Each structure stands twice: as C-alpha cells, then as structure tokens.
mmCIF file of all heavy atoms in Angstrom:
data_model
loop_
_atom_site.group_PDB
_atom_site.id
_atom_site.type_symbol
_atom_site.label_atom_id
_atom_site.label_comp_id
_atom_site.label_asym_id
_atom_site.label_seq_id
_atom_site.Cartn_x
_atom_site.Cartn_y
_atom_site.Cartn_z
ATOM 1 N N MET W 1 0.784 -1.230 -0.033
ATOM 2 C CA MET W 1 0.000 0.027 -0.007
ATOM 3 C C MET W 1 0.912 1.255 0.032
ATOM 4 O O MET W 1 0.435 2.341 -0.450
ATOM 5 C CB MET W 1 -0.878 0.051 1.222
ATOM 6 C CG MET W 1 -1.841 -1.201 1.345
ATOM 7 S SD MET W 1 -2.883 -1.501 -0.139
ATOM 8 C CE MET W 1 -3.731 -2.919 0.250
ATOM 9 N N ALA W 2 2.034 1.074 0.491
ATOM 10 C CA ALA W 2 2.919 2.231 0.618
ATOM 11 C C ALA W 2 3.304 2.728 -0.738
ATOM 12 O O ALA W 2 3.658 1.911 -1.586
ATOM 13 C CB ALA W 2 4.155 1.967 1.350
ATOM 14 N N ASP W 3 3.082 3.983 -1.057
ATOM 15 C CA ASP W 3 3.538 4.601 -2.338
ATOM 16 C C ASP W 3 4.692 5.488 -2.150
ATOM 17 O O ASP W 3 4.851 6.466 -2.936
ATOM 18 C CB ASP W 3 2.279 5.196 -3.024
ATOM 19 C CG ASP W 3 1.788 6.339 -2.161
ATOM 20 O OD1 ASP W 3 2.199 6.536 -0.977
ATOM 21 O OD2 ASP W 3 0.988 7.116 -2.777
ATOM 22 N N THR W 4 5.467 5.293 -1.068
ATOM 23 C CA THR W 4 6.583 6.168 -0.916
ATOM 24 C C THR W 4 7.653 6.031 -2.019
ATOM 25 O O THR W 4 7.795 4.839 -2.534
ATOM 26 C CB THR W 4 7.227 5.923 0.404
ATOM 27 O OG1 THR W 4 7.506 4.477 0.476
ATOM 28 C CG2 THR W 4 6.348 6.407 1.583
ATOM 29 N N PRO W 5 8.329 6.939 -2.357
ATOM 30 C CA PRO W 5 9.345 6.739 -3.468
ATOM 31 C C PRO W 5 10.365 5.807 -2.998
ATOM 32 O O PRO W 5 10.773 5.682 -1.766
ATOM 33 C CB PRO W 5 9.860 8.207 -3.577
ATOM 34 C CG PRO W 5 8.920 9.059 -3.079
ATOM 35 C CD PRO W 5 8.232 8.317 -1.940
ATOM 36 N N LYS W 6 10.963 5.062 -3.861
ATOM 37 C CA LYS W 6 12.070 4.160 -3.508
ATOM 38 C C LYS W 6 13.156 4.362 -4.655
ATOM 39 O O LYS W 6 12.923 4.797 -5.725
ATOM 40 C CB LYS W 6 11.556 2.690 -3.549
ATOM 41 C CG LYS W 6 10.950 2.198 -4.970
ATOM 42 C CD LYS W 6 10.481 0.752 -4.765
ATOM 43 C CE LYS W 6 9.936 0.313 -6.042
ATOM 44 N NZ LYS W 6 8.811 1.174 -6.612
ATOM 45 N N LYS W 7 14.377 3.884 -4.236
ATOM 46 C CA LYS W 7 15.431 4.091 -5.082
ATOM 47 C C LYS W 7 15.279 3.373 -6.295
ATOM 48 O O LYS W 7 14.739 2.274 -6.350
ATOM 49 C CB LYS W 7 16.722 3.700 -4.380
ATOM 50 C CG LYS W 7 17.994 4.365 -5.012
ATOM 51 C CD LYS W 7 19.259 3.926 -4.334
ATOM 52 C CE LYS W 7 19.707 2.526 -4.659
ATOM 53 N NZ LYS W 7 20.162 2.487 -6.095
ATOM 54 N N CYS W 8 15.771 3.959 -7.350
ATOM 55 C CA CYS W 8 15.834 3.223 -8.693
ATOM 56 C C CYS W 8 16.506 1.954 -8.536
ATOM 57 O O CYS W 8 17.430 1.791 -7.884
ATOM 58 C CB CYS W 8 16.647 4.282 -9.632
ATOM 59 S SG CYS W 8 16.869 3.572 -11.315
ATOM 60 N N ALA W 9 15.898 1.070 -9.340
ATOM 61 C CA ALA W 9 16.492 -0.388 -9.288
ATOM 62 C C ALA W 9 17.799 -0.565 -9.937
ATOM 63 O O ALA W 9 18.499 -1.586 -9.778
ATOM 64 C CB ALA W 9 15.477 -1.322 -9.921
ATOM 65 N N HIS W 10 18.258 0.412 -10.707
ATOM 66 C CA HIS W 10 19.520 0.312 -11.312
ATOM 67 C C HIS W 10 20.534 0.430 -10.167
ATOM 68 O O HIS W 10 20.571 1.346 -9.289
ATOM 69 C CB HIS W 10 19.773 1.502 -12.295
ATOM 70 C CG HIS W 10 21.008 1.425 -13.053
ATOM 71 N ND1 HIS W 10 22.221 1.473 -12.636
ATOM 72 C CD2 HIS W 10 21.089 1.121 -14.479
ATOM 73 C CE1 HIS W 10 23.065 1.325 -13.586
ATOM 74 N NE2 HIS W 10 22.396 1.135 -14.718
ATOM 75 N N PRO W 11 21.431 -0.566 -10.107
ATOM 76 C CA PRO W 11 22.491 -0.602 -8.953
ATOM 77 C C PRO W 11 23.313 0.651 -8.828
ATOM 78 O O PRO W 11 23.653 1.025 -7.743
ATOM 79 C CB PRO W 11 23.328 -1.810 -9.323
ATOM 80 C CG PRO W 11 22.487 -2.662 -10.226
ATOM 81 C CD PRO W 11 21.638 -1.665 -10.998
ATOM 82 N N ALA W 12 23.634 1.267 -9.916
ATOM 83 C CA ALA W 12 24.526 2.386 -9.848
ATOM 84 C C ALA W 12 23.772 3.722 -9.723
ATOM 85 O O ALA W 12 24.451 4.823 -9.631
ATOM 86 C CB ALA W 12 25.407 2.430 -11.012
ATOM 87 N N CYS W 13 22.467 3.696 -9.782
ATOM 88 C CA CYS W 13 21.661 4.887 -9.716
ATOM 89 C C CYS W 13 21.306 5.380 -8.328
ATOM 90 O O CYS W 13 20.993 4.455 -7.535
ATOM 91 C CB CYS W 13 20.471 4.698 -10.585
ATOM 92 S SG CYS W 13 19.482 6.134 -10.811
ATOM 93 N N GLN W 14 21.438 6.637 -8.148
ATOM 94 C CA GLN W 14 21.112 7.214 -6.802
ATOM 95 C C GLN W 14 19.711 7.866 -6.800
ATOM 96 O O GLN W 14 19.375 8.444 -5.769
ATOM 97 C CB GLN W 14 22.247 8.213 -6.424
ATOM 98 C CG GLN W 14 23.610 7.610 -6.430
ATOM 99 C CD GLN W 14 23.703 6.467 -5.423
ATOM 100 O OE1 GLN W 14 23.289 6.594 -4.305
ATOM 101 N NE2 GLN W 14 24.411 5.341 -5.878
ATOM 102 N N CYS W 15 19.066 7.855 -7.913
ATOM 103 C CA CYS W 15 17.821 8.621 -8.004
ATOM 104 C C CYS W 15 16.684 7.845 -7.278
ATOM 105 O O CYS W 15 16.726 6.640 -7.097
ATOM 106 C CB CYS W 15 17.528 8.733 -9.507
ATOM 107 S SG CYS W 15 18.737 9.515 -10.416
ATOM 108 N N MET W 16 15.671 8.591 -7.008
ATOM 109 C CA MET W 16 14.427 8.057 -6.524
ATOM 110 C C MET W 16 13.485 7.642 -7.721
ATOM 111 O O MET W 16 13.301 8.481 -8.568
ATOM 112 C CB MET W 16 13.701 8.914 -5.549
ATOM 113 C CG MET W 16 14.538 9.289 -4.321
ATOM 114 S SD MET W 16 15.162 7.870 -3.374
ATOM 115 C CE MET W 16 13.690 7.407 -2.518
ATOM 116 N N ALA W 17 12.971 6.440 -7.713
ATOM 117 C CA ALA W 17 12.052 6.133 -8.741
ATOM 118 C C ALA W 17 10.647 6.513 -8.370
ATOM 119 O O ALA W 17 10.297 6.420 -7.239
ATOM 120 C CB ALA W 17 12.151 4.687 -9.086
ATOM 121 N N PRO W 18 9.733 6.769 -9.351
ATOM 122 C CA PRO W 18 8.276 6.924 -9.088
ATOM 123 C C PRO W 18 7.812 5.558 -8.404
ATOM 124 O O PRO W 18 8.283 4.498 -8.628
ATOM 125 C CB PRO W 18 7.600 7.134 -10.450
ATOM 126 C CG PRO W 18 8.781 7.667 -11.299
ATOM 127 C CD PRO W 18 10.085 6.871 -10.825
ATOM 128 N N ALA W 19 6.763 5.856 -7.614
ATOM 129 C CA ALA W 19 6.226 4.667 -6.772
ATOM 130 C C ALA W 19 5.818 3.591 -7.649
ATOM 131 O O ALA W 19 5.907 2.400 -7.124
ATOM 132 C CB ALA W 19 5.072 5.284 -5.895
ATOM 133 N N ASN W 20 5.438 3.768 -8.799
ATOM 134 C CA ASN W 20 4.855 2.726 -9.614
ATOM 135 C C ASN W 20 5.805 2.292 -10.654
ATOM 136 O O ASN W 20 5.509 1.519 -11.627
ATOM 137 C CB ASN W 20 3.587 3.075 -10.230
ATOM 138 C CG ASN W 20 3.702 4.342 -11.128
ATOM 139 O OD1 ASN W 20 4.677 5.049 -10.975
ATOM 140 N ND2 ASN W 20 2.833 4.533 -12.101
ATOM 141 N N GLU W 21 7.142 2.726 -10.540
ATOM 142 C CA GLU W 21 8.267 2.335 -11.431
ATOM 143 C C GLU W 21 9.395 1.721 -10.743
ATOM 144 O O GLU W 21 9.673 2.155 -9.526
ATOM 145 C CB GLU W 21 8.642 3.627 -12.229
ATOM 146 C CG GLU W 21 7.509 4.294 -13.016
ATOM 147 C CD GLU W 21 7.196 3.615 -14.249
ATOM 148 O OE1 GLU W 21 7.927 2.610 -14.618
ATOM 149 O OE2 GLU W 21 6.178 4.006 -14.892
ATOM 150 N N LYS W 22 10.030 0.863 -11.360
ATOM 151 C CA LYS W 22 11.222 0.267 -10.791
ATOM 152 C C LYS W 22 12.411 1.203 -11.007
ATOM 153 O O LYS W 22 13.333 1.179 -10.326
ATOM 154 C CB LYS W 22 11.543 -1.014 -11.384
ATOM 155 C CG LYS W 22 10.814 -2.281 -10.792
ATOM 156 C CD LYS W 22 11.196 -3.567 -11.321
ATOM 157 C CE LYS W 22 12.644 -3.898 -10.929
ATOM 158 N NZ LYS W 22 13.075 -5.255 -11.485
ATOM 159 N N TYR W 23 12.380 1.891 -12.104
ATOM 160 C CA TYR W 23 13.474 2.758 -12.493
ATOM 161 C C TYR W 23 13.142 4.235 -12.684
ATOM 162 O O TYR W 23 11.892 4.512 -12.942
ATOM 163 C CB TYR W 23 14.114 2.312 -13.909
ATOM 164 C CG TYR W 23 14.605 0.762 -13.831
ATOM 165 C CD1 TYR W 23 13.749 -0.240 -14.279
ATOM 166 C CD2 TYR W 23 15.828 0.515 -13.399
ATOM 167 C CE1 TYR W 23 14.180 -1.505 -14.264
ATOM 168 C CE2 TYR W 23 16.256 -0.812 -13.317
ATOM 169 C CZ TYR W 23 15.409 -1.760 -13.787
ATOM 170 O OH TYR W 23 15.861 -3.072 -13.741
ATOM 171 N N CYS W 24 14.089 5.104 -12.397
ATOM 172 C CA CYS W 24 13.795 6.478 -12.469
ATOM 173 C C CYS W 24 13.561 6.958 -13.786
ATOM 174 O O CYS W 24 12.986 7.982 -14.053
ATOM 175 C CB CYS W 24 14.933 7.192 -11.802
ATOM 176 S SG CYS W 24 16.420 7.197 -12.754
ATOM 177 N N SER W 25 14.043 6.239 -14.833
ATOM 178 C CA SER W 25 13.979 6.689 -16.201
ATOM 179 C C SER W 25 14.144 5.459 -17.088
ATOM 180 O O SER W 25 14.520 4.431 -16.779
ATOM 181 C CB SER W 25 15.192 7.718 -16.404
ATOM 182 O OG SER W 25 16.376 7.048 -16.333
ATOM 183 N N THR W 26 13.844 5.819 -18.449
ATOM 184 C CA THR W 26 14.036 4.706 -19.451
ATOM 185 C C THR W 26 15.445 4.459 -19.523
ATOM 186 O O THR W 26 15.837 3.309 -19.941
ATOM 187 C CB THR W 26 13.395 5.165 -20.741
ATOM 188 O OG1 THR W 26 13.916 6.446 -21.168
ATOM 189 C CG2 THR W 26 11.829 5.230 -20.649
ATOM 190 N N THR W 27 16.358 5.405 -19.334
ATOM 191 C CA THR W 27 17.786 5.101 -19.385
ATOM 192 C C THR W 27 18.158 4.029 -18.442
ATOM 193 O O THR W 27 18.871 3.046 -18.864
ATOM 194 C CB THR W 27 18.553 6.375 -19.081
ATOM 195 O OG1 THR W 27 18.180 7.433 -19.999
ATOM 196 C CG2 THR W 27 20.017 6.073 -19.144
ATOM 197 N N CYS W 28 17.595 4.095 -17.250
ATOM 198 C CA CYS W 28 17.954 3.030 -16.209
ATOM 199 C C CYS W 28 17.226 1.723 -16.613
ATOM 200 O O CYS W 28 17.843 0.664 -16.383
ATOM 201 C CB CYS W 28 17.647 3.479 -14.918
ATOM 202 S SG CYS W 28 18.700 4.853 -14.246
ATOM 203 N N LYS W 29 16.054 1.871 -17.117
ATOM 204 C CA LYS W 29 15.353 0.641 -17.479
ATOM 205 C C LYS W 29 16.003 -0.129 -18.498
ATOM 206 O O LYS W 29 16.227 -1.362 -18.502
ATOM 207 C CB LYS W 29 13.909 1.019 -17.983
ATOM 208 C CG LYS W 29 13.046 -0.243 -18.191
ATOM 209 C CD LYS W 29 11.612 0.176 -18.544
ATOM 210 C CE LYS W 29 10.737 -1.023 -18.793
ATOM 211 N NZ LYS W 29 9.404 -0.615 -19.257
ATOM 212 N N ASP W 30 16.517 0.678 -19.445
ATOM 213 C CA ASP W 30 17.213 -0.043 -20.652
ATOM 214 C C ASP W 30 18.524 -0.661 -20.109
ATOM 215 O O ASP W 30 19.099 -1.688 -20.686
ATOM 216 C CB ASP W 30 17.450 1.007 -21.720
ATOM 217 C CG ASP W 30 16.265 1.345 -22.441
ATOM 218 O OD1 ASP W 30 15.305 0.650 -22.293
ATOM 219 O OD2 ASP W 30 16.264 2.387 -23.138
ATOM 220 N N ALA W 31 19.147 0.021 -19.182
ATOM 221 C CA ALA W 31 20.424 -0.463 -18.628
ATOM 222 C C ALA W 31 20.318 -1.515 -17.483
ATOM 223 O O ALA W 31 21.301 -1.996 -16.983
ATOM 224 C CB ALA W 31 21.243 0.801 -18.061
ATOM 225 N N GLY W 32 19.105 -1.797 -17.043
ATOM 226 C CA GLY W 32 18.774 -2.603 -15.939
ATOM 227 C C GLY W 32 19.299 -3.992 -16.016
ATOM 228 O O GLY W 32 19.689 -4.519 -15.018
ATOM 229 N N ASP W 33 19.496 -4.495 -17.277
ATOM 230 C CA ASP W 33 20.005 -5.873 -17.320
ATOM 231 C C ASP W 33 21.511 -5.920 -17.367
ATOM 232 O O ASP W 33 22.082 -6.935 -17.272
ATOM 233 C CB ASP W 33 19.501 -6.411 -18.666
ATOM 234 C CG ASP W 33 17.986 -6.696 -18.690
ATOM 235 O OD1 ASP W 33 17.491 -6.694 -17.602
ATOM 236 O OD2 ASP W 33 17.418 -6.831 -19.744
ATOM 237 N N MET W 34 22.139 -4.762 -17.432
ATOM 238 C CA MET W 34 23.567 -4.720 -17.447
ATOM 239 C C MET W 34 24.018 -4.183 -16.135
ATOM 240 O O MET W 34 23.550 -3.282 -15.548
ATOM 241 C CB MET W 34 24.117 -3.864 -18.568
ATOM 242 C CG MET W 34 23.738 -4.352 -19.963
ATOM 243 S SD MET W 34 24.290 -3.231 -21.266
ATOM 244 C CE MET W 34 23.239 -1.812 -21.174
ATOM 245 N N VAL W 35 25.271 -4.608 -15.645
ATOM 246 C CA VAL W 35 25.929 -4.159 -14.480
ATOM 247 C C VAL W 35 26.814 -3.094 -14.955
ATOM 248 O O VAL W 35 27.912 -3.331 -15.581
ATOM 249 C CB VAL W 35 26.639 -5.259 -13.738
ATOM 250 C CG1 VAL W 35 27.289 -4.781 -12.480
ATOM 251 C CG2 VAL W 35 25.715 -6.432 -13.367
ATOM 252 N N GLU W 36 26.416 -1.915 -14.588
ATOM 253 C CA GLU W 36 27.216 -0.740 -14.990
ATOM 254 C C GLU W 36 27.747 -0.045 -13.721
ATOM 255 O O GLU W 36 27.133 -0.163 -12.752
ATOM 256 C CB GLU W 36 26.412 0.293 -15.817
ATOM 257 C CG GLU W 36 25.986 -0.329 -17.173
ATOM 258 C CD GLU W 36 25.325 0.841 -18.008
ATOM 259 O OE1 GLU W 36 24.088 1.113 -17.732
ATOM 260 O OE2 GLU W 36 25.955 1.387 -18.823
ATOM 261 N N ILE W 37 28.880 0.525 -13.841
ATOM 262 C CA ILE W 37 29.627 1.173 -12.708
ATOM 263 C C ILE W 37 29.043 2.576 -12.578
ATOM 264 O O ILE W 37 29.272 3.177 -11.477
ATOM 265 C CB ILE W 37 31.025 1.138 -12.688
ATOM 266 C CG1 ILE W 37 31.603 1.828 -13.935
ATOM 267 C CG2 ILE W 37 31.482 -0.334 -12.631
ATOM 268 C CD1 ILE W 37 33.043 1.958 -13.952
ATOM 269 N N GLU W 38 28.464 3.130 -13.489
ATOM 270 C CA GLU W 38 27.853 4.470 -13.318
ATOM 271 C C GLU W 38 26.562 4.607 -14.077
ATOM 272 O O GLU W 38 26.175 3.749 -14.945
ATOM 273 C CB GLU W 38 28.835 5.514 -13.909
ATOM 274 C CG GLU W 38 29.119 5.395 -15.417
ATOM 275 C CD GLU W 38 30.060 6.513 -15.890
ATOM 276 O OE1 GLU W 38 30.966 6.801 -15.118
ATOM 277 O OE2 GLU W 38 29.859 6.968 -16.973
ATOM 278 N N CYS W 39 25.730 5.589 -13.569
ATOM 279 C CA CYS W 39 24.416 5.741 -14.098
ATOM 280 C C CYS W 39 24.466 6.843 -15.178
ATOM 281 O O CYS W 39 25.101 7.854 -14.948
ATOM 282 C CB CYS W 39 23.437 6.111 -12.979
ATOM 283 S SG CYS W 39 21.795 6.443 -13.596
ATOM 284 N N LYS W 40 23.739 6.715 -16.243
ATOM 285 C CA LYS W 40 23.807 7.736 -17.237
ATOM 286 C C LYS W 40 22.340 8.320 -17.497
ATOM 287 O O LYS W 40 22.000 8.775 -18.584
ATOM 288 C CB LYS W 40 24.175 7.100 -18.530
ATOM 289 C CG LYS W 40 25.656 6.578 -18.547
ATOM 290 C CD LYS W 40 26.148 6.064 -19.882
ATOM 291 C CE LYS W 40 27.521 5.662 -19.850
ATOM 292 N NZ LYS W 40 27.791 4.408 -19.052
ATOM 293 N N CYS W 41 21.558 8.340 -16.444
ATOM 294 C CA CYS W 41 20.231 8.757 -16.526
ATOM 295 C C CYS W 41 20.191 10.306 -16.688
ATOM 296 O O CYS W 41 19.157 10.834 -17.202
ATOM 297 C CB CYS W 41 19.370 8.469 -15.277
ATOM 298 S SG CYS W 41 19.861 9.216 -13.861
ATOM 299 N N GLY W 42 21.323 10.980 -16.335
ATOM 300 C CA GLY W 42 21.339 12.401 -16.541
ATOM 301 C C GLY W 42 20.826 13.178 -15.341
ATOM 302 O O GLY W 42 20.797 14.490 -15.394
ATOM 303 N N HIS W 43 20.237 12.596 -14.377
ATOM 304 C CA HIS W 43 19.669 13.283 -13.221
ATOM 305 C C HIS W 43 20.763 13.855 -12.336
ATOM 306 O O HIS W 43 21.963 13.161 -12.307
ATOM 307 C CB HIS W 43 18.828 12.400 -12.278
ATOM 308 C CG HIS W 43 17.575 11.957 -13.051
ATOM 309 N ND1 HIS W 43 17.033 10.659 -12.946
ATOM 310 C CD2 HIS W 43 16.772 12.618 -13.929
ATOM 311 C CE1 HIS W 43 15.939 10.597 -13.691
ATOM 312 N NE2 HIS W 43 15.759 11.768 -14.327
ATOM 313 N N PRO W 44 20.630 14.962 -11.759
ATOM 314 C CA PRO W 44 21.671 15.707 -10.960
ATOM 315 C C PRO W 44 22.345 14.677 -9.916
ATOM 316 O O PRO W 44 23.481 14.734 -9.627
ATOM 317 C CB PRO W 44 21.039 16.818 -10.327
ATOM 318 C CG PRO W 44 19.961 17.127 -11.291
ATOM 319 C CD PRO W 44 19.464 15.926 -11.858
ATOM 320 N N ALA W 45 21.454 13.825 -9.370
ATOM 321 C CA ALA W 45 21.939 12.948 -8.263
ATOM 322 C C ALA W 45 22.977 11.978 -8.812
ATOM 323 O O ALA W 45 23.825 11.500 -8.001
ATOM 324 C CB ALA W 45 20.871 12.229 -7.691
ATOM 325 N N CYS W 46 23.048 11.771 -10.138
ATOM 326 C CA CYS W 46 23.959 10.753 -10.692
ATOM 327 C C CYS W 46 25.036 11.414 -11.536
ATOM 328 O O CYS W 46 25.893 10.795 -11.969
ATOM 329 C CB CYS W 46 23.159 9.811 -11.590
ATOM 330 S SG CYS W 46 22.086 8.753 -10.754
ATOM 331 N N ALA W 47 24.965 12.722 -11.714
ATOM 332 C CA ALA W 47 26.010 13.408 -12.478
ATOM 333 C C ALA W 47 27.282 13.401 -11.681
ATOM 334 O O ALA W 47 27.383 13.724 -10.626
ATOM 335 C CB ALA W 47 25.519 14.853 -12.778
ATOM 336 N N ILE W 48 28.305 12.963 -12.411
ATOM 337 C CA ILE W 48 29.604 12.927 -11.803
ATOM 338 C C ILE W 48 30.530 13.934 -12.351
ATOM 339 O O ILE W 48 30.649 13.862 -13.599
ATOM 340 C CB ILE W 48 30.253 11.455 -11.967
ATOM 341 C CG1 ILE W 48 29.374 10.525 -11.279
ATOM 342 C CG2 ILE W 48 31.685 11.515 -11.358
ATOM 343 C CD1 ILE W 48 29.784 9.057 -11.527
HETATM 344 ZN ZN1 ZN J 101 20.435 7.686 -12.024
HETATM 345 ZN ZN1 ZN J 102 17.845 5.438 -12.178
#
C-alpha cells in the first residue's frame, strides 16, 4: 500500500524512482540488465 518513493532499481543509480516504477527513467530501465558502474540517466543525483 505504501507509495513512498524508492530508489531506482539500477544498482549504480542514486535517484528515486516513481512509486509505480522500478527505474527512475528509461535510461535506467534499458540499462537494468547490465551491470554498469555508473548511471547515465542524466539526473543531477547521478551526475559525476
Ligand atoms: Zn540515475
Ligand atoms: Zn535510475
């Protein structure tokens, strides 16, 4: 029942995903099957 935001399912991503989404963005969703050391979603939380 909880609809609190949760972290994006991408291991390297620091973003919060929408309550009804596993990933914060399609970028992370597309990368979800790959183990990457950095996130390329472009959100400020992930910008290095
Ligand atoms: Zn990210
Ligand atoms: Zn993400």
Side-chain angles (χ1 to χ4, degrees):
M1 302 306 177
D3 62 350
T4 52
K6 59 184 182 300
K7 199 180 80 65
C8 176
H10 192 289
C13 185
Q14 303 299 316
C15 303
M16 301 303 286
N20 60 340
E21 301 283 350
K22 279 184 65 178
Y23 299 96
C24 70
S25 64
T26 52
T27 301
C28 286
K29 186 177 180 182
D30 290 346
D33 291 339
M34 296 182 288
V35 178
E36 296 185 280
I37 60 173
E38 64 180 35
C39 177
K40 296 184 177 68
C41 72
H43 294 143
C46 292
I48 300 173

